[in-house]
Amino acid sequence: MQRFASAIRLRPDKEADYRALHADVWPAVLATIHNVNIRNYSIFLLDGVLFSYFEYIGADFDSDMARMAEDPATQRWWYLTDPCQQPMEGAAEGQWWTPMTEVFHSD
Amino acid sequence: MQRFASAIRLRPDKEADYRALHADVWPAVLATIHNVNIRNYSIFLLDGVLFSYFEYIGADFDSDMARMAEDPATQRWWYLTDPCQQPMEGAAEGQWWTPMTEVFHSD
C-alpha cells in the first residue's frame, strides 16, 4: 500500500459549492475511486487549502489514474469541481494537486 | 474510529532538524503514540506547512492526549520539536496544531 497526500487551493467564492458537492458525492464517482484501487480517501480544509489523503492498493498507479480520467462520470464531476480549485503557488506548470512529502509515519 | 487532520508551520531554518528527528523517532515516543490509541499516523510537508493525519481508536480522546502529554519521553521529544514549529496564521490563542475540517471521506 502507498500513501498519497497532496494539496490544492479552494477558491473562496466556491467553498459553498465545493462543500455541497462533497457532502453528496455521486455513487458513480465513488465506484470509480474504489475501482482504481483508492482506499481510505479523505479531503480536509483549512484556511482555503484542501488537503487530500488516500491509500493506493493497486500495482500500477499511473494506469489506474488514467482509467479514472477516462471515466465519463468522473469527467462530469471534475467539470464541476475543477472551477472550485486553483493550484498551490509552488505548483509545477500544468500541475493540479501538488504532492506533499511524507516526513513521518507510524502504523 | 475517528480521523484527525491538523496543520502547523515548519520554521524554514528548522526543516533539516525536524526531518532528521522524524526520520528516526525514538521508540519510547512511538510506543506512547500507540498506547494512546493513535494509528496510521503520517506527517506530510508542503511549502513550509506540516500536515498531520491520524486515526484514533480509543474511547476518550482528551484523556488519551493528556496521558501522552504526561509521558516523559514525549515531553523530551516535544522539547526538541516544538522550536521547529509555529502555529498557522489563523490559529486560536494558545493553539498549537490547527484542526482541519473533513469535507469528504470514502472508505
Side-chain angles (χ1 to χ4, degrees):
Chain A
M1 183 269 279
Q2 295 172 266
R3 288 174 292 277
F4 287 86
S6 56
I8 199 164
R9 288 212 163 270
L10 178 61
R11 292 181 188 274
D13 59 324
K14 296 287 191 178
E15 178 174 337
D17 290 353
Y18 187 89
R19 291 179 74 128
L21 283 164
H22 283 81
D24 189 22
V25 177
W26 305 340
V29 169
L30 296 174
T32 297
I33 288 169
H34 196 269
N35 287 340
V36 302
N37 296 309
I38 287 174
R39 298 290 183 277
N40 199 20
Y41 181 12
S42 299
I43 299 175
F44 301 92
L45 174 63
L46 178 69
D47 295 345
V49 174
L50 294 166
F51 171 86
S52 158
Y53 170 91
F54 63 79
E55 295 163 3
Y56 175 71
I57 62 164
D60 187 339
F61 184 74
D62 291 343
S63 166
D64 274 332
M65 293 308 102
R67 284 200 299 125
M68 173 181 257
E70 287 164 6
D71 173 58
T74 300
Q75 290 172 358
R76 288 193 296 275
W77 180 256
W78 288 346
Y79 180 80
L80 298 178
T81 58
D82 280 3
C84 301
Q85 303 164 326
Q86 56 188 6
M88 300 293 282
E89 289 72 8
E93 181 75 24
Q95 190 173 48
W96 198 234
W97 289 81
T98 303
M100 303 185 84
T101 303
E102 183 176 299
V103 293
F104 169 71
H105 179 77
S106 170
D107 287 331
Chain B
M1 184 269 278
Q2 295 171 267
R3 287 174 292 277
F4 287 85
S6 56
I8 199 165
R9 288 212 163 269
L10 178 60
R11 293 182 187 272
D13 58 324
K14 295 286 192 179
E15 178 175 336
D17 290 353
Y18 188 89
R19 291 179 73 129
L21 283 164
H22 284 80
D24 190 21
V25 177
W26 306 341
V29 170
L30 296 174
T32 297
I33 289 171
H34 195 269
N35 286 342
V36 300
N37 295 309
I38 288 175
R39 299 290 183 276
N40 200 20
Y41 182 11
S42 300
I43 300 175
F44 300 93
L45 173 64
L46 178 68
D47 294 345
V49 175
L50 294 166
F51 172 86
S52 158
Y53 171 91
F54 64 78
E55 296 162 3
Y56 175 70
I57 62 165
D60 187 339
F61 184 74
D62 291 344
S63 166
D64 274 331
M65 294 308 101
R67 284 201 297 125
M68 173 181 256
E70 287 164 7
D71 172 58
T74 299
Q75 290 172 357
R76 287 193 296 273
W77 179 256
W78 289 346
Y79 180 80
L80 298 179
T81 59
D82 279 4
C84 302
Q85 303 164 326
Q86 55 188 7
M88 299 293 283
E89 288 74 5
E93 182 73 25
Q95 191 174 45
W96 196 234
W97 288 82
T98 303
M100 302 185 84
T101 304
E102 185 176 299
V103 294
F104 170 71
H105 181 76
S106 170
D107 288 331

